[in-house]
Amino acid sequence: MAYRWKTDLTERDVTPEGAWLTRRGLMAGIAGAGIATLAGRGRAAEALEPNTWEEITTYNNFYEFGTDKTDPARHAGAMTIAPWSVRIDGLVDRPADYALEDILSRMTIEERIYRFRCVEAWSRVVPWNGFELADLLEMAGVQSGARYVAFETYLNRDEMPGVRFPVLDWPYVEGLRLDEAMHPLTIMATGIYGRDLPKQNGAPLRLVVPWKYGFKSIKSVVRITLTAEQPPTSWNKANPREYGFYSNVNPEVDHPRWSQATERRIGAGLFARREPTQMFNGYAEEVAGLYEGMDLTKFY
Ligand SMILES: Nc1nc2c(c(=O)[nH]1)N[C@H]1C(S)=C(S)[C@@H](COP(=O)(O)O)O[C@H]1N2
Ligand SMILES: [Mo]
C-alpha cells in the first residue's frame, strides 16, 4: 500500500527480528481484515527499541478500573466487549449504531508504530494496528457544520471498580477539532503487535493521537459525535488549569506541577537518562501546520 505519512520509525528500527517474524505470522492469520504493513520512512539517526508486549499491557492508565498502573491489567478482564457497537451521531449524514464487525469490514487495518507520551512524563513506542479515524468519519458522512468530534468511553458500574470514585466525571469523554480528527496520523486502534487490543489498552476500539498527551487517546469508545461547538473533555473538566483541550505534547509548556521538558522511557531501566521531549512528540513536521498562528501557551 502506498505510504502516505511518516511515522518516525521503521519496522526494522523498532522490532527485534524474531518478534517481527512472529508478528508477520500472526498478522497473516487475521481473517477478514486486510492488514497493510506500513513501513515508515524512518529517521536514520534514530534507533529506538520497541516496548515489549509486557511493558505496553501491564502499566496502564484506565481509571475506570482504578488509578494504580496495575489496576487496568488486573480488573479490565471484567469488561464486556462483545457485542460492541459505536454510535456515530450529531452532524453526520448517516447517524447510527454501527456494529464493530460492520466497521471493521469496511476499514483497512494498518500497522502504525507511534511514540506515546503520557502527560505524567513517561513514554513508550507502540506498534498499533488500526485504521484512520477519517475513514470512519467519512463512512458516517461529516456534515458541513461539523467543527469538532466528541468521544465517549463505555461505562458499566458493575464491571468497572474505579467508577465508584469521583476521580473523573464518568463516562470518560474526549474531543478533537475536526481537522485534528481527520489528520492521517489520527487512528482508531484495534490491536497491538498484530494481536487484538487488550482490554486494559482500550479494547475493542480506542483513539490514538500520537502528537498529544496520552489522555486524549480515549479508550473503549462507544460514541462519536460530530459537533459545532468544542466538546467538554474529562481532564479539562477535572482541572482546567492543568489540562487544556488541545494537550499537544510541548516540552516548552510545563505542567503546573512538573516539567514537560524530558520524559522517562518505560523499560529503559532504573539508571537510564531521561530523554528530551520533542515538540508535538516528534510529529511537528506533520502537524505543526494545524496550529499556525495559535499561542500554544494559551491553547495548551
Ligand atoms: N476511558 C479512558 N481512556 C483513557 C484513560 C482513562 O483513564 N480512561 N487514560 C488515558 C491516559 S492518561 C493514558 S496515558 C492512556 C494510556 O493508554 P495505554 O494504557 O494504552 O498506554 O489512555 C488514555 N485513555
Ligand atoms: Mo496519561
Side-chain angles (χ1 to χ4, degrees), residues 61 118-119 215:
N61 281 328
C118 174
V119 74
F215 66 84

Side-chain angles (χ1 to χ4, degrees), residues 140-155:
V142 178
Q143 295 184 340
S144 60
R147 290 183 56 225
Y148 293 89
V149 186
F151 303 84
E152 187 179 309
T153 293
Y154 175 74
L155 176 61

Side-chain angles (χ1 to χ4, degrees), residues 61 116-120 122 213-215:
N61 281 328
F116 188 92
R117 171 59 157 83
C118 174
V119 74
E120 298 163 333
W122 53 264
Y213 290 120
F215 66 84

Side-chain angles (χ1 to χ4, degrees), residues 177-255:
R177 222 170 53 191
L178 184 61
D179 57 348
E180 298 175 323
M182 298 297 279
H183 194 283
L185 283 176
T186 303
I187 61 167
M188 296 302 293
T190 56
I192 296 170
Y193 275 122
R195 298 160 67 173
D196 284 347
L197 200 60
K199 291 180 179 179
Q200 59 267 35
N201 293 91
L205 189 67
R206 62 91 60 87
L207 180 69
V208 177
V209 193
W211 70 94
K212 292 179 179 282
Y213 290 120
F215 66 84
K216 297 295 288 183
S217 293
I218 182 172
K219 295 179 170 181
S220 305
V221 171
V222 291
R223 188 172 183 185
I224 299 176
T225 308
L226 280 287
T227 66
E229 307 295 332
Q230 182 176 302
T233 59
S234 286
W235 280 101
N236 179 253
K237 281 193 285 180
N239 195 334
R241 205 174 65 88
E242 297 190 352
Y243 308 104
F245 175 80
Y246 284 92
S247 298
N248 293 313
V249 174
N250 188 338
E252 285 153 29
V253 177
D254 287 337
H255 186 280

Side-chain angles (χ1 to χ4, degrees), residues 3-7 38 40-41 112 132 183-185 286:
Y3 180 67
R4 281 171 293 172
W5 292 87
K6 178 161 88 306
T7 59
L38 201 76
R41 204 188 310 143
R112 299 285 181 98
E132 293 184 8
H183 194 283
L185 283 176
E286 290 89 346

